[in-house]
Amino acid sequence: MSVRVLGAADTRALRVLAMEDPVANVFILAHLDSSGSAAPTSGGASVFGVFDGDALVGACWAGANLVPVQLDPGLASRVAAVAHRAGRRYASIFGPAETVLALHSRLEQLGHFAHEVRADQPLLAISGPPAIEANPQLGFGNIADFDRILPACAAMFEEEVGYSPFLGSEDFYSRRVAGLIRQGHSLVHIDAGGKVKFKAELGAVTAQATQVQGVWMNPEFRGQGLSAGYMAGVVVLAQQFAPITSLYVNEYNTRARATYERVGFKRLGTFATVLY
């Protein structure tokens, strides 16, 4: 077994590996669709590949985050050692739970200490129409509404992870939100008074699947039974891009899980997220 940084010549092998589970691996597949290559990016992100001889048997995206791709948990310590030697600071690890936790265990031994470990996050997906009527007021975000959408995204982020996304640099997060809007991956309902009532994003999009992130209901409108209709709307809009809509959610968030079940999402597996 050996581990090395993948190059452009490894692109096909990485895509074949990731297509073994196009829902769980939607992040890396979306990257390959947009960049066209497994080679390191101009921003310094790369993909570590694990080889058995000449065969690629596992991989891990290493950028701001670590994202394993069909990586056996037994090989995680090898990848963690290479990730540590790369000298980067990683904001998180996310992906299939067993592998994520194995990566975290080895990184912790190497001095990377977690802020929070979310070890049980059901991976859910739906194909076909939602089980309830979609809220027709949900639509695609418009860049003209950026100044309304950005604060809603920041509020969701802070509520989810416990700190502002603007720490260090407001510009990076703002550009990320603007990019999602321009790509047509921002889903939002802004009422007549200019308030964002609900929003979500398609964080990763391929021809096979989308992954929903950033689901947020304005606190002023919570408790009114609106979430399920909005999530059904998310499914309808997401299926304009791909037949499968997926997301992962904290196991303890029973209210959200009940909403997703009502819409028709089914559990496919378990993710985990480690926040540093």
Side-chain angles (χ1 to χ4, degrees):
M1 291 285 182
S2 61
V3 181
R4 65 169 172 81
V5 174
L6 300 185
D10 301 302
T11 302
R12 182 181 180 280
L14 179 60
R15 184 180 293 278
V16 169
L17 181 74
M19 283 298 293
E20 292 178 10
D21 190 337
V23 176
N25 297 319
V26 65
F27 173 88
I28 193 68
L29 288 166
H31 167 71
L32 292 177
D33 285 348
S34 63
S35 70
S37 177
T41 71
S42 58
S46 58
V47 182
F48 302 131
V50 182
F51 289 84
D52 184 355
D54 293 331
L56 181 66
V57 296
C60 186
W61 167 266
N65 311 292
L66 292 173
V67 186
V69 181
Q70 299 300 106
L71 181 64
D72 187 280
L75 300 174
S77 62
R78 295 171 182 260
V79 173
V82 174
H84 171 69
R85 289 197 298 270
R88 294 184 68 107
R89 292 177 61 90
Y90 303 105
S92 73
I93 315 172
F94 63 87
E98 194 175 354
T99 300
V100 165
L101 297 176
L103 284 166
H104 166 57
S105 177
R106 180 59 179 142
L107 284 169
E108 188 173 49
Q109 294 171 2
L110 295 168
H112 300 255
F113 299 106
H115 164 68
E116 185 178 355
V117 178
R118 300 176 180 181
D120 187 358
Q121 297 179 304
L123 173 63
L124 311 176
I126 180 173
S127 58
I132 65 169
E133 184 177 354
N135 188 328
Q137 294 176 302
L138 187 71
F140 294 105
N142 191 302
I143 198 64
D145 293 315
F146 173 76
D147 289 340
R148 294 184 174 92
I149 296 172
L150 179 63
C153 292
M156 178 284 307
F157 186 100
E158 188 161 358
E159 193 173 319
E160 178 69 14
V161 302
Y163 58 87
S164 171
F166 299 138
L167 286 178
S169 172
E170 182 172 340
D171 182 63
F172 177 81
Y173 188 74
S174 298
R175 285 190 285 110
R176 168 67 174 162
V177 172
L180 288 166
I181 296 170
R182 291 192 176 99
Q183 289 175 298
H185 297 170
S186 168
L187 314 177
V188 65
H189 174 209
I190 301 174
D191 70 11
K195 291 182 179 179
V196 174
K197 293 185 69 172
F198 175 93
K199 69 95 191 168
E201 289 83 43
L202 304 179
V205 176
T206 70
Q208 295 78 34
T210 60
Q211 187 176 89
V212 179
Q213 66 178 31
V215 176
W216 183 80
M217 175 73 74
N218 188 320
E220 292 184 35
F221 304 100
R222 293 177 187 176
Q224 300 178 24
L226 301 174
S227 295
Y230 279 124
M231 281 307 304
V234 168
V235 171
V236 169
L237 295 177
Q239 287 180 349
Q240 294 185 25
F241 297 93
I244 300 173
T245 308
S246 71
L247 55 82
Y248 56 99
V249 58
N250 293 317
E251 186 276 337
Y252 57 76
N253 194 345
T254 54
R255 183 171 296 181
R257 291 180 62 193
T259 295
Y260 300 144
E261 182 177 351
R262 185 180 168 202
V263 172
F265 282 86
K266 304 296 183 184
R267 187 168 186 165
L268 296 184
T270 303
F271 266 29
T273 300
V274 178
L275 301 171
Y276 291 101

